[in-house]
Amino acid sequence: MTQSTLTRSWVASANGHTDFPLQNLPLGIFSLNGSAPRSGVAIGEHIFDLQAARELFDGDARRAVDAMADGQLNAFFELGRAPRVALRARLLELLAEGSNQQAQLQGLGAQVLPLAADCQMHLPAKINDYTDFYVGIEHAQNVGKLFRPDNPLLPNYKYVPIGYHGRASTIRPSGTDVRRPKGQTLPAGQTEPTFGPCARLDYELELGIWIGQGNAMGDSIAIGDAADHIAGFCLLNDWSARDIQAWEYQPLGPFLSKSFITSISPWVVTAEALEPFRKAQPARPAGDPQPLPYLLDKRDQAGGGFDIELEVLLTTAAMREQNLPAHRLTLSNTQHMYWTVAQMVAHHSVNGCQLQAGDLFGSGTLSGPAAGQFGSLLEITEGGKKPIELASGEVRKFLEDGDEIILRARCQRDGFASIGFGECRGTVVAAR
Ligand code: CA
């Protein structure tokens, strides 16, 4: 049974579902009516409760289910590829139309298939470390141009997958409010900072990468093995306080301008689900250097990229009151990554840094080259110079209290069921 057969599920809402048809089967951690967090699989409008259905799994698939029994996916991530693939194969059997277990599972109803709308989603894993990369070259160029019109990319960019160590303690699942941060900012034309609420609050559209099996400290993960160390993917909003960032970022990079919250979509979309949407890494423009050998692998160059459409929507409190549709800020794609996810893993570990199951990477903002494709307000409004006009008559340079940002992702290819990531939402609330 392969994805290309467009197999239907007996879970009716899965068929044609925007995000979660039978071919996706992303993993996550949920709770129902305040129960302890448990593991599940998104299928249509429902969540398939893996612990409740445990007896239907054996072998490697049972090992996978049992590794999630503690209500987080770290131990499952640590198991690596084979149990994840076995779990997927068994789920495809169980949930397909005409499955031997269809009548039994339908009889159990909400005991094994609660409505997702009745459930609360949690972070899928305990995140020990979070690293944010900067591989969206269009974003790097757009932002670089604002500061250095003649020299937007620094000389290391095409050699080093640039990144910084982010803050894991404030990563939250979709739906968590975004408290406007306070901090130091330097008003234009002044030489001394003031302290107060951020006035230039922004979003960043990123792909999140979940690390599976890690490496021992002192060892490194070879580029050819790196894909096997990735457990799955999510959407990530790297909320950014641009005024705080502008004052603090030199010489060591972002600090408090990023660490107040990072939002992620709660479902882990596996490499297997994304297999049909793999792409060759785009060829580097003539004149660009080739990656150093430790970052270069033929197989990775041939199929280490992805074709995932990425979207950002904005609603304001006034728009919601007037029932106006969300305003699309960004429509971009993962093909604007200058480095592959495998290159990020290989580079991160090449010095002997230990990666661990449940570590999270952000790709960096994934802007496209054209208007409508920019993954942050900093780029869209050129640092506040060109406000956006909304259907409500409001304008925005940066985010106001009450504004909600919604990230979405979609994979489409002829002959394959289209899949999505589920949403990553966050509403800005006033500083306190
Ligand atoms: Ca970022």
Side-chain angles (χ1 to χ4, degrees), residues 130 132-134 139 164 204 206 236 238 240 242 258 362-365:
Y130 159 52
D132 196 23
F133 283 87
Y134 198 53
H139 171 76
Y164 70 95
E204 289 192 342
E206 303 197 18
L236 185 150
D238 177 25
S240 299
R242 299 300 182 195
K258 302 278 192 172
S363 60
T365 308

Side-chain angles (χ1 to χ4, degrees), residues 136-139 141-142 145 331-333 335-336 366-375 379:
I137 189 167
E138 302 294 342
H139 171 76
Q141 279 171 331
N142 291 339
K145 262 182 231 163
L331 189 65
S332 187
N333 193 288
Q335 291 181 83
H336 303 299
L366 297 180
S367 298
Q373 302 176 339
F374 300 155
E379 296 163 85

Side-chain angles (χ1 to χ4, degrees), residues 197-272:
C198 163
R200 291 161 72 92
L201 185 59
D202 201 355
Y203 68 92
E204 289 192 342
L205 168 63
E206 303 197 18
L207 181 72
I209 298 124
W210 288 103
I211 297 300
Q213 285 175 325
N215 57 303
M217 183 175 162
D219 290 349
S220 47
I221 297 170
I223 180 71
D225 301 331
D228 285 342
H229 291 261
I230 295 171
F233 301 86
C234 63
L235 283 165
L236 185 150
N237 187 341
D238 177 25
W239 301 94
S240 299
R242 299 300 182 195
D243 42 3
I244 298 172
Q245 185 178 358
W247 172 234
E248 76 175 4
Y249 88 103
Q250 289 177 317
L252 284 184
F255 184 30
L256 303 185
S257 56
K258 302 278 192 172
S259 58
F260 53 99
I261 185 171
T262 303
S263 303
I264 60 171
S265 58
W267 292 107
V268 179
V269 178
T270 63
E272 290 70 39

